[in-house]
Amino acid sequence: MTGPVTARVVIELGEYQQRRVAAPPPTEADEQLADRFMSGQDGVRLDARWMADGTLDVSASSWVGVVRFSHVDVRVVPKLAGGSLRVLRMLEYASGVSMLRRLPTDRPLPADGKDLFDLICLLLAQETEALIRDGLLRDYRTTDDSLEVLRGRLRYRDQFLRRFGQLDRLECHFDEYDGDTPINQLVAAALSRARRRISETDIRFAVARLAGVLDELCHPTSTDASWYERIIRYDRRNERYRPAHELAKLVLRGLAFDDLFDVSAGSVSAFLINMNAVFERFVTRLVHEALQGTSLDVSAQHQLRAVVRNDDTGRSYSTLTPDLVITDGSTGRSVPFDIKYKTYDLRKISTADIYQTFLYAYALGHGDDQRRAGILYPAAASIDGPHLSIKPLLGPTAARIIGAGIDVPRALDELAGPYKQSLLDDVRTMIETMTTLSGVASTSTSA
């Protein structure tokens, strides 16, 4: 006999929100996954704690997606960006690859678009269908194998060491022409990992069918998205794979936590996307595009190695890496910017972010009147501020920080419409005002 079926508890919350609900006690796999969320290299992804009173306390961070514990589904919905579709539109713009071009119009989105993982898998299935319909690419790949007849050239050393005196098997080195190449393996790896984790039945069946087709063609050598990113180079022949590859990399990176767990046995799974990284990529390209043709130059992830030094050795002790550095080509003046996916339109900037940004200002400033830094954060409407300054008890103002909230919904709407240039003009004005050093200017935040 089987025990009673426990109804699944569904918890939905936005980034940086907290909820506590009644929930069944955790299994060992639940506790292992929760511990991994707390100890990741990128900080706390999700804080899930089972309390003694039979409740589950969940606190979200900048990571959005779905976490399926044994009896509880936790959905972190990207409310700051405006929903799952807008997250993908941000990624589209940041990467320059159209991932939503095959979004179906004849059927409702999975869970009304709230389940980001199912939405990505739906789009990946659509792109894979198109690739198969147009013909999956084949190419030559170098292969070593033991064959009954000579093909290519004989590997003399291996033949001597492995098959001395044997003529029925030959160690050959040759070029194989087939579809078992990285461009197909990346799609196959994502489909294979996703097919048992999808909640929508029709999407799960479609992905499983496509995974079976790819399994007959190739055998993925890795499930590491970064490995494929390093070795795949695009040209006119394989450019049509780009959208599928971007979606496949989202799947592989988002499912990285599943390595410890056997989902085929009905255990836990997780798919999470770091919105801090998505927003940083989005704003970086937006600022780059807005400042084209001006005297302001933009550099991303500019490393400052000689700022913090070890006096004993005379060597660099720590590296500072602002998200953006805006340099005025006419004066040589530089202003660092930090990009934070946090609700700074509703709360104060954290002390840690203030310390970090002031350090950037000190590192790149050339004098007390030229030390300035900016913080860009998402908002549902354009926001100016806050304006902060650091001033010793005796002496002039030493540095300033200016914050500005970027209206993400408006930016995404206008980037794809006729008002794109107006948006870029507003972003340029905002950045130019934030980087001026003549007092505390009123920042234009119509972007």
Side-chain angles (χ1 to χ4, degrees), residues 40-233:
Q41 295 181 349
D42 299 316
V44 177
R45 302 192 179 197
L46 185 77
D47 189 354
R49 302 172 187 265
W50 280 264
M51 315 304 288
D53 60 357
T55 61
L56 171 61
D57 187 83
V58 180
S59 298
S61 63
S62 65
W63 295 78
V64 302
V66 58
V67 179
R68 296 189 175 101
F69 293 107
S70 298
H71 305 294
V72 179
D73 289 347
V74 178
R75 292 178 180 170
V76 183
V77 181
K79 293 184 177 180
L80 292 180
S84 299
L85 276 175
R86 290 194 179 274
V87 172
L88 295 182
R89 293 195 188 281
M90 290 173 69
L91 285 167
E92 269 192 330
Y93 177 71
S95 63
V97 178
S98 177
M99 293 184 286
L100 295 173
R101 60 181 181 173
R102 302 187 192 280
L103 191 66
T105 58
D106 58 345
R107 55 155 291 166
L109 294 178
D112 297 325
K114 294 179 180 178
D115 194 322
L116 181 60
F117 178 63
D118 280 11
L119 177 58
I120 292 173
C121 289
L122 170 63
L123 295 171
L124 177 59
Q126 297 283 340
E127 289 292 343
T128 306
E129 288 273 15
L131 290 175
I132 294 174
R133 182 179 62 248
D134 297 338
L136 295 171
L137 291 181
R138 299 174 182 267
D139 209 342
Y140 287 101
R141 59 182 178 89
T142 302
T143 304
D144 294 325
D145 201 358
S146 176
L147 305 175
E148 295 181 353
V149 295
L150 180 63
R151 182 178 179 185
R153 65 177 179 82
L154 183 68
R155 292 182 292 151
Y156 293 100
R157 186 174 184 276
D158 291 332
Q159 185 72 27
F160 178 80
L161 294 176
R162 297 179 182 180
R163 304 188 183 280
F164 181 75
Q166 301 178 21
L167 297 178
D168 58 329
R169 304 292 296 183
L170 302 175
E171 298 294 329
C172 301
H173 179 86
F174 56 95
D175 290 334
E176 184 73 81
Y177 184 77
D178 59 18
D180 196 8
T181 59
I183 61 171
N184 292 321
Q185 291 173 6
L186 173 54
V187 180
L191 292 172
S192 179
R193 294 209 61 192
R195 58 184 171 185
R196 290 190 298 269
R197 298 162 173 84
I198 302 170
S199 59
E200 291 280 323
T201 304
D202 54 345
I203 301 176
R204 184 169 65 249
F205 286 164
V207 168
R209 175 178 58 82
L210 295 169
V213 174
L214 269 294
D215 285 346
E216 297 179 358
L217 180 73
C218 61
H219 305 283
T221 56
S222 174
T223 57
D224 181 6
S226 298
W227 182 83
Y228 292 103
E229 207 164 47
R230 289 192 299 269
I231 66 172
I232 294 178
R233 295 293 178 267

Side-chain angles (χ1 to χ4, degrees), residues 16 36 39 54 56 60 76 184 186-187 245 354 357 387 424 441:
Y16 301 105
R36 290 198 70 192
S39 59
L56 171 61
V76 183
N184 292 321
L186 173 54
V187 180
H245 283 176
I354 291 175
T357 311
H387 299 102
L424 295 178

